[in-house]
Amino acid sequence: METTSTSTRTNSNNTPFSLISRGWKEVRDSADADLQLMRARANSFKNLANSFDREIENFFNSASIASFSVPSPLKSSTSPTEVDFVKKLRPKFSEIRRVYSAPEISKKVLEKWGPRAKLGIDLSAIKNAIVAGEEEGEERRGVVGLDRRRRLGFREFWGEGKEGGGGQFGEWKPIRVLKRRLREFEKKSEFGEIFGGFKNSEFVEKLKSSLKAIHKEPQESKEVPPLDVPELLAYLVRQSEPFLDQLGVRKDVCDKIVESLCSSRKNQLLLPSLSSGESTLLDENANDELDLRIASVLQSTGHCYDGGFWTDLSKHHPSDRKRHVAIVTTASLPWMTGTAVNPLFRAAYLAKSEKQNVTLLVPWLCKSDQELVYPNNLTFTSPEEQENYIRNWLEERIGFKANFKISFYPGKFAKERRSIIPAGDTSQFIPSKDADIAILEEPEHLNWYHHGKRWTTKFNHVVGVVHTNYLEYIKREKNGALQAFFVKHINNLVTRAYCHKVLRLSAATQDLPKSVICNVHGVNPKFLKIGEKVAAESELGQQAFSKGAYFLGKMVWAKGYKELIHLLAKHKNDLDGFNLDVFGNGEDANEVQTTAKRLDLNLNFLKGRDHADDSLHGYKVFINPSLSDVLCTATAEALAMGKFVVCADHPSNEYFRSFPNCLTYKTSEDFVARVKEALANEPHPLTPEQIYNLSWEAATQRFMQYSELDRVLDPEKDDVKLSKTNGRSITKAVSTPNMSEMVDGGLAFAHYCLTGNELLRLCTGAIPGTRDYDKQHCKDLHLLPPQVENPIYGW
């Protein structure tokens, strides 16, 4: 028993020592392995140096031979001075080899070279010189296609002219002497002519392969100076634009402030690549320069912005190569209004290219609302029936089969506002797999009472197209000024929160955030064919027009009828004998006709009809005095048919002024003069360029450009890089946190909370029960009840 106990204690005492012993053994083995690796690397470097020396010796030995083994033309150019120079170099190389092989150098190499050490000799100058020699052509001798290594200069070979030139051994006396000798030699003879016969030399090939194997380009690290106070203030103003806009400070004022802050240090704001004249995607203005400056500073610190509180990083990425475009509008055929017709044509021509899948999302009205909206008591019992009507109407006018999808969302008609209000979350009717690009026709209208997912969260790119000047309509109502004030700020909020880009058809619309002005509407091809027919008849000397003047539009006071009756009543005597045919239906038809009859005006009221109707082809003059339009479709159609158009000098008609048949007036006296001028003359035939500018092909091209849809649809341009510096890309999107995005997200969240309260919705004019769709919509569209679709869980 005692023996066993003693043995147990001995084993327990020996166990820790055995562990320590094994640990020291492992450390020693590892150290030995490291030392062997260091010796192997030192030997490899020494062998490389010896190989280099041997090649140099071979070079000098071959140089001492009179023939030089070169073609006969070069033999005659070789002088004894050049051979003497090569002989003078021999002792210098011997001295270099002696110094290079000194024990101190070997000791330093062994001290510096650990397992992770790198070669300390900078061979970049030699490599760059050889590469540059390959890229240069032989122009002196007029030979095309010769090897491009001939024009290699000694200064490039040894890296002179660069900062810190000379490399690691730049201070050695032998190197300085050698470089001086080489410069003298370069003055006497061209390096390429001497080495012309050695282009396939084994030495050159080995040197190149050694450089490629050993040398690695060092990463350039240029310090970026930090932001100064003016730059910080400029960036603060840029990011505070949403707040300043609400305070009445316009965007152009903010841009001027930023420009003034940046002008004092404009040269410092630009990166070296910009100052050197390299091409870049940066626009030459202070805002983009500031963005690039901020991005470069953030990138130099290693910071990468991955998104903020409101950013959704899990957006849709199309699985196939085709992108998906969803066009959402506020009206549908057979209601002949601009927001029903123009989005339909846009969908057809976007789908015509077949580069992207297109879906048109239009409102579905219950039968009771259809009777109030659609003309001639036309109603539909199912969405499929209405879709067939829409497609037949479209294909009769465009002449090709449009391959796009038509979907419906629930809507209700507001009698007071004479418009359709969406019911429920409109965005849910676009499947998540197709939620890529959204085009919101009338974005402010669609989002006044939108209580659902944020468009910019669900979609990658959201474009708003403003059709209507709502402020002009509201100002004509009771307490219009106060209502217009609130509507203006609500429009600013919803377009900022729900759109990436906003297109305004003309300057007649409200100046909204993120907006640009561009006419992205075209004309029905049927009108262009009528215009071509009229032009052909005029060339043959035939009379194309047999009737006088007419006006066509929905018969409501705001659609120009008020201005028309005022002008005709004021100049009744000046326009004696002038008769005007008026085509239109509307809520104010009785009142308009009664007023005209009371004033004894020469107006002949007729039922509304399609502008392309044969009965309207014979009219020569179209009169449109409306001041509430944004871009009158009827005006564009009349110009396309080759008619005269008399319209007001107003921002809504700015696009049409370039057409010679468009006659604008500023005063009522001008109106009379323009009407008489149009009746007394014949319209000018349209040129091919004018016809193209009115077409939907040209409108689609403008839309792609100004909405940035061409960049979004092109994968190579999807991530726009501001600049490239030293081979590194500076991308604003991933480097710069955007305070505007945070503000937009906060506004969207606040709007979502406000529109979720039924009392607040009713106070602001919403139709009762439009926060969710009703049972009739569920039945017509085969939807689940909103309580099932979006359940609310509670105690």
Side-chain angles (χ1 to χ4, degrees), residues 118-133:
K118 295 181 180 179
L119 183 61
I121 299 178
D122 185 10
L123 300 177
S124 59
I126 302 176
K127 178 186 175 183
N128 294 336
I130 291 179
V131 174

Side-chain angles (χ1 to χ4, degrees), residues 69 90 287 290 533 629 637 699 756:
S69 300
R90 190 187 307 241
N287 289 334
L290 182 60
K533 180 181 178 182
D629 287 329
E637 293 169 349

Side-chain angles (χ1 to χ4, degrees), residues 166-417:
Q168 184 173 347
F169 302 101
E171 300 299 326
W172 291 359
K173 183 178 179 180
I175 293 294
R176 293 199 300 269
V177 175
L178 176 61
K179 291 169 67 176
R180 185 169 65 253
R181 296 286 186 182
L182 291 175
R183 284 197 297 269
E184 294 175 358
F185 176 65
E186 190 176 10
K187 292 179 181 178
K188 296 179 180 179
S189 175
E190 222 179 277
F191 185 79
E193 293 179 357
I194 296 179
F195 285 86
F198 293 92
K199 63 180 180 179
N200 295 322
S201 171
E202 184 181 358
F203 163 69
V204 177
E205 297 300 329
K206 285 187 177 180
L207 182 60
K208 283 182 60 179
S209 61
S210 300
L211 289 174
K212 292 180 180 179
I214 297 175
H215 176 68
K216 184 178 181 180
E217 287 282 354
Q219 293 184 353
E220 297 184 12
S221 57
K222 294 186 178 181
E223 294 185 359
V224 179
L227 298 173
D228 57 11
V229 175
E231 292 171 334
L232 290 173
L233 290 176
Y235 191 65
L236 179 61
V237 173
R238 281 285 312 280
Q239 299 296 347
S240 301
E241 284 183 3
F243 297 110
L244 297 176
D245 181 66
Q246 298 299 326
L247 295 176
V249 181
R250 295 178 303 179
K251 187 180 185 298
D252 55 348
V253 177
C254 295
D255 292 340
K256 289 181 180 179
I257 295 174
V258 172
E259 185 177 359
S260 63
L261 289 171
C262 296
S263 60
S264 59
R265 292 202 57 198
K266 185 175 182 180
N267 294 332
Q268 287 79 2
L269 288 174
L270 293 176
L271 293 180
S273 64
L274 296 177
S275 61
S276 62
E278 293 183 5
S279 61
T280 174
L281 295 177
L282 174 66
D283 294 333
E284 296 182 357
N285 56 59
N287 289 334
D288 287 339
E289 292 172 4
L290 182 60
D291 288 337
L292 179 56
R293 172 79 170 120
I294 298 292
S296 63
V297 172
L298 289 176
Q299 192 176 62
S300 67
T301 62
H303 171 77
C304 183
Y305 179 65
D306 294 327
F309 181 76
W310 311 108
T311 306
D312 182 14
L313 300 178
S314 59
K315 287 187 177 181
H316 164 73
H317 297 283
S319 57
D320 54 358
R321 289 189 175 183
K322 273 195 173 183
R323 305 296 293 268
H324 300 268
V325 179
I327 302 175
V328 188
T329 186
T330 57
S332 176
L333 294 179
W335 190 10
M336 298 298 297
T337 183
T339 52
V341 175
N342 291 307
L344 181 60
F345 281 111
R346 196 185 325 281
Y349 281 88
L350 281 176
K352 185 179 181 181
S353 64
E354 297 183 354
K355 294 181 180 179
Q356 55 275 331
N357 296 322
V358 180
T359 299
L360 177 64
L361 189 62
V362 298
W364 167 260
L365 299 178
C366 298
K367 189 173 182 179
S368 57
D369 286 337
Q370 293 182 29
E371 295 173 352
L372 297 175
V373 178
Y374 299 151
N376 302 323
N377 297 321
L378 185 61
T379 59
F380 306 97
T381 57
S382 67
E384 293 77 14
E385 184 181 353
Q386 186 172 1
E387 178 180 352
N388 291 333
Y389 176 89
I390 294 172
R391 292 190 183 278
N392 292 334
W393 184 94
L394 177 66
E395 291 177 5
E396 288 176 1
R397 286 155 177 80
I398 61 176
F400 62 89
K401 187 174 181 61
N403 185 20
F404 65 94
K405 180 181 178 182
I406 298 179
S407 299
F408 293 85
Y409 69 88
K412 290 189 176 182
F413 181 68
K415 296 180 182 179
E416 297 79 8
R417 299 189 177 184

Side-chain angles (χ1 to χ4, degrees), residues 14 28 48 50 75 188 235 238 264 310 370 400 427 515 523 605 629 705 723 760 770 787:
N14 291 339
R28 185 170 60 255
L48 178 63
N50 292 335
K75 286 182 181 181
K188 296 179 180 179
Y235 191 65
R238 281 285 312 280
S264 59
W310 311 108
Q370 293 182 29
F400 62 89
S427 65
S515 65
V523 174
F605 292 96
D629 287 329
Q705 177 183 355
S723 178
L760 291 176
T770 53
Q787 296 81 4

